[in-house]
Amino acid sequence: MKRLLALAMTLSAAPLAAQQDLSKVEIRAEQVVPGVHVLFGAGGNIGLSTGADGSFVIDDQFAPLTPRIQAAIAKIADRPVRFVLNTHWHGDHTGGNENFGKAGALIVAHDNVRVRMSSEQFIASLNQKVPPSPAVALPVVTFDASTTFHINGDAIRAVHVPNAHTDGDSLVHFTKANVVHMGDTYFANGYPFVDLSSGGSVTGLIDAVNRGIALGDERTRYIPGHGPVTDRAALVRYRDMIADVVAKVRAGIAAKRSVEQVVASKPTARYDAQWGNAFIKPDRFVQTVYASLVAPRHHKPAGRTH
Ligand SMILES: [Zn+2]
């Protein structure tokens, strides 16, 4: 029973669990500030702006959850979803695109999100092949550096952060509401997942988190890709933890230690109780940091247009 429970918890925490049983998943809405909500379910946290101009949605979890997500949104706002912004291409953040696209929402994302969703992808660390998405699921409007939505009395700015969790990550800054959706550059309850085969890197991840920290102040609410909403101090602690582990692994590489030796030296030891029990286990995090630091260069998505 205990093992079953542990397995269930592992599955519910797994950002990309394709085989996850979604039939029991409930979508729970929480107000972040007036006019901005977060929806928790399975997969990436959904950000939601509501108001007179219509609904603006950040990420849309898995396709089978769309009716439940739509019902949760309808309880908060009676206007249609006009825009879906994807923080990156992973299926637990874009799985509802096809449904929302068919329902009339305009899908927006960084250029590389469309590139990766348009062709078969392979996530090496999960040994997972991902087929191309149908045309209606693809972002219709893409951007390179940033774009701004002037909606519901706010200016909602999506800012690309290069080579972080993937090569197509955006942070989404509600400049008036003082909320930032960090996408998967922020795992609020565990070690970060860096998808090296999608162009992610640990140094880019730290840069992205620093960008997020710089966007806010001590009153900013931060929506992570996974885990609960936090304040800026928690995001700073997450950054400091990653930077410390990266520094220790870098020192090991400089001392010509192998990845096995660096893993055995347990550079995450002091953090494992707090961060080591979620999707990414300590050894895997260290292996990823090592691989990222010794990687000659970032993987470019096939068919990149610029
Ligand atoms: Zn992701």
Side-chain angles (χ1 to χ4, degrees):
M1 187 62 201
K2 231 179 176 173
R3 279 184 60 185
L4 273 178
L5 192 67
L7 179 68
M9 284 174 68
T10 309
L11 287 177
S12 66
L16 292 150
Q19 291 88 7
Q20 191 174 351
D21 176 15
L22 298 170
S23 64
K24 304 280 192 313
V25 172
E26 285 174 31
I27 305 297
R28 184 172 61 82
E30 182 182 295
Q31 182 176 282
V32 182
V33 297
V36 180
H37 288 73
V38 59
L39 307 184
F40 301 104
N45 292 335
I46 295 173
L48 171 66
S49 163
T50 58
D53 298 328
S55 294
F56 169 94
V57 169
I58 303 168
D59 291 343
D60 50 26
Q61 300 190 351
F62 298 105
L65 300 176
T66 303
R68 278 168 267 174
I69 293 166
Q70 288 167 327
I73 294 172
K75 276 190 199 162
I76 297 164
D78 57 2
R79 307 284 171 128
V81 173
R82 286 180 65 190
F83 302 101
V84 171
L85 183 110
N86 296 134
T87 59
H88 63 292
W89 78 273
H90 283 153
D92 60 325
H93 297 254
T94 60
N97 276 17
E98 182 175 1
N99 297 327
F100 279 101
K102 281 180 181 159
L106 185 75
I107 302 171
V108 184
H110 181 262
D111 296 336
N112 289 343
V113 173
R114 184 177 167 97
V115 172
R116 291 201 180 273
M117 289 181 73
S118 300
S119 62
E120 183 178 279
Q121 299 291 310
F122 181 67
I123 304 173
S125 62
L126 303 178
N127 194 28
Q128 188 181 81
K129 223 190 252 182
V130 183
S133 299
V136 68
L138 300 177
V140 174
V141 175
T142 65
F143 59 92
D144 181 359
S146 71
T147 192
T148 305
F149 298 80
H150 302 273
I151 187 171
N152 297 332
D154 210 329
I156 305 170
R157 191 149 183 265
V159 183
H160 174 56
V161 282
N163 302 100
H165 169 69
T166 66
D167 60 9
D169 300 297
S170 293
L171 312 183
V172 190
H173 185 199
F174 296 73
T175 57
K176 297 223 170 76
N178 200 6
V179 173
V180 179
H181 192 308
M182 295 290 293
D184 275 2
T185 67
Y186 188 19
F187 278 53
N189 53 8
Y191 289 129
F193 172 44
V194 182
D195 182 357
L196 302 178
S197 55
S198 294
S201 72
V202 292
T203 50
L205 181 75
I206 293 172
D207 291 344
V209 175
N210 280 332
R211 187 84 188 264
I213 291 167
L215 289 176
D217 56 36
E218 66 283 353
R219 296 176 62 182
T220 307
R221 306 303 294 162
Y222 287 90
I223 302 172
H226 299 269
V229 176
T230 77
D231 61 8
R232 191 174 66 164
L235 183 63
V236 168
R237 288 193 294 275
Y238 170 81
R239 188 272 319 271
D240 290 347
M241 173 272 290
I242 299 169
D244 183 39
V245 174
V246 168
K248 288 192 167 88
V249 174
R250 185 175 270 134
I253 293 168
K256 304 258 186 287
R257 295 203 181 98
S258 68
V259 62
E260 292 79 11
Q261 288 170 320
V262 172
V263 168
S265 74
K266 302 221 172 291
T268 62
R270 59 185 285 217
Y271 303 110
D272 289 349
Q274 186 187 350
W275 302 96
N277 304 306
F279 176 54
I280 300 295
K281 302 294 181 249
D283 289 0
R284 192 151 149 230
F285 177 42
V286 175
Q287 287 160 356
T288 301
V289 171
Y290 191 103
S292 181
L293 292 177
V294 300
R297 61 186 178 83
H298 301 303
H299 297 261
K300 294 277 189 293
R304 195 182 166 115
T305 50
H306 65 275

